[in-house]
Coordinates of all heavy atoms in Angstrom, one line a residue:
S240 N -11.0 -19.4 7.5 CA -12.3 -19.5 8.2 C -12.2 -20.6 9.3 O -12.6 -20.4 10.4 CB -13.5 -19.8 7.2 OG -13.6 -18.7 6.4
P241 N -11.8 -21.8 8.9 CA -11.7 -22.9 10.0 C -10.8 -22.5 11.1 O -11.0 -22.7 12.3 CB -11.2 -24.1 9.3 CG -11.6 -23.9 7.8 CD -11.4 -22.4 7.6
F242 N -9.6 -21.9 10.8 CA -8.7 -21.5 11.8 C -9.2 -20.4 12.7 O -8.9 -20.4 13.9 CB -7.3 -21.1 11.2 CG -6.2 -21.1 12.3 CD1 -5.5 -22.3 12.5 CD2 -6.0 -20.0 13.1 CE1 -4.5 -22.3 13.4 CE2 -5.0 -20.0 14.0 CZ -4.2 -21.2 14.2
S243 N -9.9 -19.5 12.1 CA -10.5 -18.4 12.9 C -11.4 -19.0 14.0 O -11.4 -18.5 15.1 CB -11.3 -17.4 12.0 OG -11.9 -16.4 12.8
K244 N -12.2 -20.0 13.6 CA -13.1 -20.6 14.6 C -12.3 -21.4 15.6 O -12.6 -21.3 16.8 CB -14.1 -21.5 13.9 CG -15.1 -20.8 13.0 CD -15.9 -21.8 12.2 CE -16.9 -21.1 11.2 NZ -17.7 -22.0 10.4
H245 N -11.3 -22.1 15.2 CA -10.4 -22.8 16.1 C -9.8 -21.8 17.1 O -9.8 -22.0 18.3 CB -9.3 -23.5 15.4 CG -8.1 -23.7 16.2 ND1 -8.0 -24.8 17.2 CD2 -6.8 -23.1 16.3 CE1 -6.8 -24.7 17.8 NE2 -6.1 -23.7 17.3
F246 N -9.3 -20.6 16.6 CA -8.6 -19.7 17.5 C -9.6 -19.1 18.5 O -9.2 -18.8 19.7 CB -7.9 -18.6 16.7 CG -7.0 -17.8 17.6 CD1 -5.8 -18.4 18.1 CD2 -7.3 -16.5 17.9 CE1 -4.9 -17.6 18.9 CE2 -6.4 -15.7 18.7 CZ -5.3 -16.3 19.2
S247 N -10.8 -18.9 18.1 CA -11.8 -18.4 19.1 C -12.0 -19.4 20.2 O -12.1 -19.0 21.4 CB -13.2 -18.2 18.3 OG -14.2 -17.7 19.2
R248 N -11.9 -20.7 19.9 CA -12.0 -21.7 21.0 C -10.7 -21.7 21.8 O -10.8 -21.9 23.0 CB -12.2 -23.1 20.4 CG -13.5 -23.3 19.7 CD -13.8 -24.7 19.3 NE -12.9 -25.2 18.2 CZ -13.3 -25.1 16.9 NH1 -14.5 -24.6 16.6 NH2 -12.5 -25.5 16.0
V249 N -9.6 -21.4 21.2 CA -8.3 -21.2 22.0 C -8.5 -20.1 23.0 O -8.1 -20.2 24.2 CB -7.1 -20.9 21.1 CG1 -5.9 -20.5 21.9 CG2 -6.8 -22.1 20.2
L250 N -9.0 -19.0 22.6 CA -9.2 -17.8 23.5 C -10.2 -18.2 24.6 O -10.0 -17.8 25.8 CB -9.8 -16.6 22.7 CG -8.8 -16.0 21.7 CD1 -9.5 -14.8 21.0 CD2 -7.5 -15.6 22.3
S251 N -11.3 -18.9 24.3 CA -12.2 -19.3 25.3 C -11.6 -20.3 26.3 O -11.8 -20.2 27.5 CB -13.4 -20.0 24.6 OG -14.2 -19.1 23.8
A252 N -10.8 -21.2 25.8 CA -10.1 -22.2 26.7 C -9.1 -21.5 27.6 O -8.9 -21.9 28.7 CB -9.4 -23.3 25.8
A253 N -8.5 -20.4 27.1 CA -7.6 -19.7 27.9 C -8.3 -18.7 28.9 O -7.6 -18.1 29.7 CB -6.6 -18.9 27.0
G254 N -9.6 -18.6 28.8 CA -10.3 -17.7 29.6 C -10.2 -16.2 29.3 O -10.5 -15.4 30.2
V255 N -9.9 -15.9 28.0 CA -9.7 -14.5 27.7 C -10.6 -14.1 26.5 O -10.4 -12.9 26.0 CB -8.2 -14.2 27.3 CG1 -7.3 -14.5 28.5 CG2 -7.8 -15.1 26.1
K256 N -11.5 -14.9 26.1 CA -12.4 -14.5 25.0 C -13.3 -13.4 25.4 O -14.0 -13.5 26.4 CB -13.2 -15.7 24.4 CG -14.0 -15.4 23.2 CD -13.1 -15.2 22.0 CE -13.9 -14.7 20.8 NZ -14.0 -13.2 20.7
R257 N -13.4 -12.4 24.6 CA -14.4 -11.3 24.7 C -14.8 -10.8 23.4 O -14.2 -11.2 22.4 CB -13.8 -10.2 25.6 CG -12.4 -9.6 25.2 CD -11.8 -8.7 26.2 NE -10.4 -8.4 25.9 CZ -10.1 -7.4 25.0 NH1 -11.0 -6.7 24.4 NH2 -8.8 -7.2 24.8
R258 N -15.8 -9.9 23.3 CA -16.4 -9.5 22.1 C -15.4 -8.9 21.1 O -15.4 -9.1 19.9 CB -17.6 -8.6 22.3 CG -18.3 -8.2 21.1 CD -19.5 -7.3 21.4 NE -19.0 -6.0 22.0 CZ -18.7 -5.0 21.2 NH1 -18.7 -5.1 19.9 NH2 -18.3 -3.8 21.8
K259 N -14.4 -8.1 21.6 CA -13.6 -7.3 20.8 C -12.2 -7.9 20.6 O -11.2 -7.1 20.3 CB -13.5 -5.9 21.3 CG -14.9 -5.1 21.1 CD -14.8 -3.7 21.5 CE -13.9 -2.9 20.6 NZ -13.9 -1.4 21.0
N260 N -12.0 -9.2 20.9 CA -10.7 -9.8 20.5 C -10.9 -11.0 19.6 O -11.9 -11.7 19.7 CB -9.8 -10.1 21.7 CG -10.4 -11.2 22.6 OD1 -11.3 -11.9 22.3 ND2 -9.8 -11.3 23.8
A261 N -10.0 -11.2 18.8 CA -10.0 -12.4 17.8 C -8.6 -12.4 17.3 O -7.7 -11.7 17.7 CB -11.0 -12.1 16.7
F262 N -8.4 -13.3 16.3 CA -7.0 -13.4 15.7 C -6.5 -12.1 15.2 O -5.4 -11.8 15.3 CB -7.0 -14.5 14.6 CG -5.6 -14.9 14.2 CD1 -4.9 -15.9 14.8 CD2 -4.9 -14.1 13.2 CE1 -3.6 -16.2 14.4 CE2 -3.6 -14.4 12.9 CZ -3.0 -15.5 13.5
H263 N -7.4 -11.3 14.6 CA -7.1 -10.0 14.1 C -6.5 -9.1 15.1 O -5.8 -8.1 14.8 CB -8.3 -9.4 13.4 CG -7.9 -8.3 12.4 ND1 -7.4 -8.6 11.2 CD2 -7.9 -6.9 12.5 CE1 -7.2 -7.4 10.5 NE2 -7.5 -6.4 11.3
S264 N -6.7 -9.4 16.4 CA -6.1 -8.6 17.5 C -4.6 -8.6 17.4 O -3.9 -7.7 17.9 CB -6.6 -9.0 18.8 OG -8.0 -8.9 18.9
F265 N -4.0 -9.7 16.9 CA -2.6 -9.7 16.8 C -2.0 -8.6 15.9 O -1.0 -8.0 16.2 CB -2.1 -11.0 16.1 CG -2.1 -12.2 17.1 CD1 -2.8 -13.4 16.7 CD2 -1.5 -12.2 18.3 CE1 -2.8 -14.5 17.6 CE2 -1.5 -13.2 19.2 CZ -2.2 -14.4 18.8
R266 N -2.8 -8.2 14.9 CA -2.3 -7.0 14.1 C -2.3 -5.7 14.9 O -1.4 -4.9 14.7 CB -3.2 -6.9 12.8 CG -2.8 -7.8 11.7 CD -3.8 -7.7 10.5 NE -3.8 -6.5 9.7 CZ -2.9 -6.2 8.8 NH1 -1.9 -7.0 8.5 NH2 -3.0 -5.0 8.1
H267 N -3.3 -5.6 15.7 CA -3.3 -4.4 16.6 C -2.2 -4.5 17.6 O -1.6 -3.4 18.0 CB -4.7 -4.3 17.3 CG -5.8 -4.0 16.3 ND1 -5.8 -3.0 15.4 CD2 -7.0 -4.7 16.1 CE1 -6.9 -3.0 14.7 NE2 -7.6 -4.1 15.1
S268 N -2.0 -5.7 18.2 CA -0.8 -5.8 19.1 C 0.5 -5.5 18.4 O 1.4 -4.9 19.0 CB -0.8 -7.2 19.7 OG -2.0 -7.5 20.5
F269 N 0.6 -5.9 17.2 CA 1.8 -5.7 16.4 C 2.0 -4.2 16.2 O 3.2 -3.7 16.4 CB 1.8 -6.4 15.1 CG 3.0 -6.3 14.2 CD1 4.1 -7.1 14.4 CD2 3.0 -5.3 13.2 CE1 5.2 -7.0 13.6 CE2 4.2 -5.1 12.4 CZ 5.2 -6.0 12.6
E270 N 1.0 -3.5 15.9 CA 1.0 -2.0 15.7 C 1.5 -1.4 17.0 O 2.4 -0.5 17.0 CB -0.3 -1.5 15.3 CG -0.7 -1.9 13.9 CD -2.0 -1.2 13.5 OE1 -2.6 -0.5 14.3 OE2 -2.5 -1.5 12.3
D271 N 0.9 -1.7 18.1 CA 1.3 -1.1 19.4 C 2.8 -1.4 19.7 O 3.5 -0.6 20.2 CB 0.5 -1.7 20.5 CG -0.9 -1.0 20.6 OD1 -1.1 0.0 19.9 OD2 -1.8 -1.5 21.3
A272 N 3.2 -2.7 19.4 CA 4.6 -3.0 19.6 C 5.6 -2.2 18.7 O 6.7 -1.8 19.2 CB 4.9 -4.5 19.4

Side-chain angles (χ1 to χ4, degrees):
S240 297
F242 196 91
S243 179
K244 294 176 182 177
H245 157 78
F246 191 71
S247 180
R248 294 190 288 269
V249 170
L250 296 179
S251 296
V255 298
K256 183 72 185 90
R257 51 192 171 84
R258 185 179 64 84
K259 292 182 67 174
N260 68 10
F262 192 93
H263 199 76
S264 296
F265 282 127
R266 276 175 69 82
H267 296 305
S268 294
F269 182 86
E270 289 182 1
D271 281 350

